[in-house]
Amino acid sequence: MTEKRQKELSSFKYMLILTIPIFIELLLQLVVGYCDQIMMSRWQNAVNGITNANVVINMVLNFFIIFSSASIILITQYKGSRDEKREKSIYSTAFFFNTILSIIMSLVIVFLSKYYLKAINTPQSALNDAILYSMICGSSVLFQVMATTLSSFLKANNLMKESMITNIIMNILNIIGNFILINIFAKIDLPIIGVALSSSISRIIGFIILLIIYIKKIKIKLSFKEFIKNKKALKMLIKVGIPSGGEALSYQASQVIIQLIVNDIVIYNDNNIEMGNIKTYASMFALVTYLFVNAISQAMQVIIGEQLGAGLTKDVDKKVKQTRNISIISNLLFSLLFFLLSDYLFMLFKVTDPQLLKIAKLVMGIEIFLEFGRAINVVYVRALQTSGDVLFPTITAIIFCWSVAVLGSYILGGNVLKLGIPGVWIAMAIDEIIRAFIFIFRWHKGKWKNFNLALQ
């Protein structure tokens, strides 16, 4: 690696250049995800149905988002070590492996949604909407996963702007589609079909655009034959991706159980659907809060992947700590702002009951502590994964997620202490903070320096 490139990778300006397009892309993805709920706010049962449906759909999508980051890790490290042959093999391997898995998951969502939505106690008034939304959006999961994989390839090659522009187009199409299709299907009292179709169509178009960009910009053939033949590339992808994806899958699975607990809270509050929707809207604000952290940590992965491939461990340590400090400040500022504006924000979603607004305010107050822990976790987990130390964060996340966040949600928020939604948030905050200190200690010990994926 040249001295000029080394200085470029170390500079904050370069990281910011990579971060801004990723941030905009993630913001737009968030808009697509929640645009359905915002535009359906007139139908509270439909909002709850979308929330329950998305618990499982998001679980699948998040697994592939994290798994796709394995391709970023490997491509950037091979770039840093100048191993072009192994770098090229990752593209076909990651694309077709993700495609095959996503076909299976699409079929599961489409044909089994009725059963798992009942299993998580989806309120009866929202069940039909949840099933319809799951079946339609589940059928487009394949295209969303392929789009995510292609987007990862672009990011690994510093083509963040192209991915961002695609998401802008997707959002515009989704919003236009919602306006048209919701009104059409509302006439037969099934607006949920319109919003699901709009989301699915926009995602399919997004995939097509990303494929065209990949072919024109990266120009590396996606060969199924290469996927079948190159077992070593598949082994490396699985070695890095499965633990990372497993952590994401475990987290999302825990969110399914937490949603079940929230549904029980709705039931013992006289089937107050709006009580359950407090969790929906609070989660939405939480996603906005750590959006910048998510973006800057992805940019960090691209940078430190190349630095690790070149053996620049001191530069890696500095970059990770710099990203951590920025992330903590960002999360605390956003979460404090949402706490102060809580009443106004929840009233935007037709929440006007003073008691519900009081609960929402308390939740957003607890969110400040949760986001402190999450800022540290997101940065260190991605840093450890990029270095090749993938098992430790996965095992730690699974243990604490289930023993603290899930069990704590049941005890504090569920049928034991009955603190409701605030009890659920307290449990999740404790989980994030405990893991934050564990990951700081793990990084400080320096075991990550012993891993080098480019040499394996």
Side-chain angles (χ1 to χ4, degrees), residues 371-435:
E371 292 304 334
F372 168 76
R374 178 142 52 194
I376 297 168
N377 285 334
V378 170
V379 172
Y380 278 112
V381 167
R382 284 194 165 145
L384 289 167
Q385 289 170 345
T386 307
S387 73
D389 187 5
V390 291
L391 284 177
F392 180 82
T394 300
I395 293 168
T396 303
I398 291 171
I399 291 170
F400 284 92
C401 187
W402 289 91
S403 65
V404 179
V406 175
L407 183 60
S409 293
Y410 175 75
I411 294 170
L412 297 173
N415 288 320
V416 182
L417 297 180
K418 294 190 175 181
L419 298 178
I421 308 297
V424 171
W425 243 257
I426 291 169
M428 293 194 297
I430 294 170
D431 166 46
E432 293 283 356
I433 291 168
I434 290 173
R435 283 190 290 123

Side-chain angles (χ1 to χ4, degrees), residues 44-308:
Q44 288 295 312
N45 287 335
V47 170
N48 194 273
I50 293 170
T51 299
N52 279 277
N54 275 337
V55 165
V56 175
I57 292 172
N58 288 341
M59 179 174 71
V60 173
L61 292 177
N62 273 281
F63 168 80
F64 285 105
I65 288 169
I66 301 299
F67 192 84
S68 291
S69 71
S71 60
I72 296 177
I73 292 168
L74 292 171
I75 290 168
T76 53
Q77 288 214 22
Y78 292 148
K79 278 182 182 293
S81 62
R82 298 187 177 183
D83 191 339
E84 289 186 16
K85 184 178 179 182
R86 294 179 75 184
E87 178 195 337
K88 287 180 179 180
S89 68
I90 295 298
Y91 295 99
S92 295
T93 304
F95 183 80
F96 288 107
F97 185 71
N98 284 356
T99 299
I100 291 167
L101 284 181
S102 64
I103 290 170
I104 295 168
M105 294 313 300
S106 288
L107 292 172
V108 168
I109 292 170
V110 170
F111 292 106
L112 299 182
S113 57
K114 178 180 178 181
Y115 303 100
Y116 64 67
L117 286 167
K118 285 183 178 179
I120 63 171
N121 288 345
T122 301
Q124 193 62 40
S125 59
L127 183 60
N128 286 337
D129 283 334
I131 292 170
L132 281 170
Y133 188 86
S134 292
M135 291 181 71
I136 296 168
C137 287
S139 63
S140 68
V141 161
L142 164 65
F143 297 98
Q144 180 67 16
V145 169
M146 290 191 293
T148 299
T149 307
L150 291 170
S151 180
S152 296
F153 296 162
L154 297 181
K155 287 171 186 172
N157 287 273
N158 298 331
L159 298 170
M160 281 73 173
K161 289 180 183 177
E162 287 77 0
S163 188
M164 177 192 72
I165 291 167
T166 303
N167 270 278
I168 291 173
I169 295 168
M170 281 175 61
N171 271 269
I172 292 171
L173 291 174
N174 188 64
I175 292 167
I176 293 171
N178 277 348
F179 273 118
I180 296 170
L181 295 174
I182 288 173
N183 290 325
I184 290 173
F185 285 94
K187 292 176 182 177
I188 57 171
D189 202 27
L190 286 171
I192 195 79
I193 293 178
V195 82
L197 282 174
S198 178
S199 293
S200 298
I201 292 167
S202 66
R203 286 167 175 167
I204 292 168
I205 293 171
F207 158 70
I208 294 169
I209 295 170
L210 284 169
L211 183 60
I212 293 168
I213 294 170
Y214 173 84
I215 292 168
K216 288 189 173 183
K217 294 279 186 178
I218 298 180
K219 300 176 183 178
I220 295 174
K221 186 180 177 182
L222 296 172
S223 167
F224 189 74
K225 185 178 178 182
E226 175 70 19
F227 163 65
I228 296 294
K229 183 180 70 174
N230 200 327
K231 291 182 174 60
K232 189 172 182 181
L234 181 59
K235 184 180 177 182
M236 284 299 297
L237 190 70
I238 290 172
K239 183 179 178 179
V240 178
I242 290 294
S244 305
E247 181 208 346
L249 195 61
S250 171
Y251 173 78
Q252 291 298 323
S254 74
Q255 293 305 299
V256 174
I257 305 303
I258 289 173
Q259 183 63 45
L260 190 153
I261 294 167
V262 170
N263 288 338
D264 283 341
I265 292 170
V266 170
I267 291 168
Y268 69 66
N269 280 278
D270 300 320
N271 286 311
N272 188 344
I273 288 288
E274 289 189 62
M275 178 75 73
N277 288 346
I278 291 293
K279 191 255 182 187
T280 300
Y281 303 136
S283 296
M284 187 188 305
F285 299 137
L287 282 170
V288 174
T289 298
Y290 72 89
L291 207 61
F292 181 76
V293 172
N294 199 354
I296 199 168
S297 61
Q298 284 189 38
M300 176 199 72
Q301 276 188 296
V302 173
I303 292 168
I304 68 171
E306 195 168 338
Q307 288 174 329
L308 284 163

Side-chain angles (χ1 to χ4, degrees), residues 7-26:
K7 285 182 179 179
E8 185 180 38
L9 290 172
S10 298
S11 72
F12 175 69
K13 181 182 177 182
Y14 182 71
M15 184 163 71
L16 205 59
I17 289 169
L18 297 184
T19 299
I20 291 171
I22 298 174
F23 174 76
I24 295 170
E25 179 185 351
L26 290 173

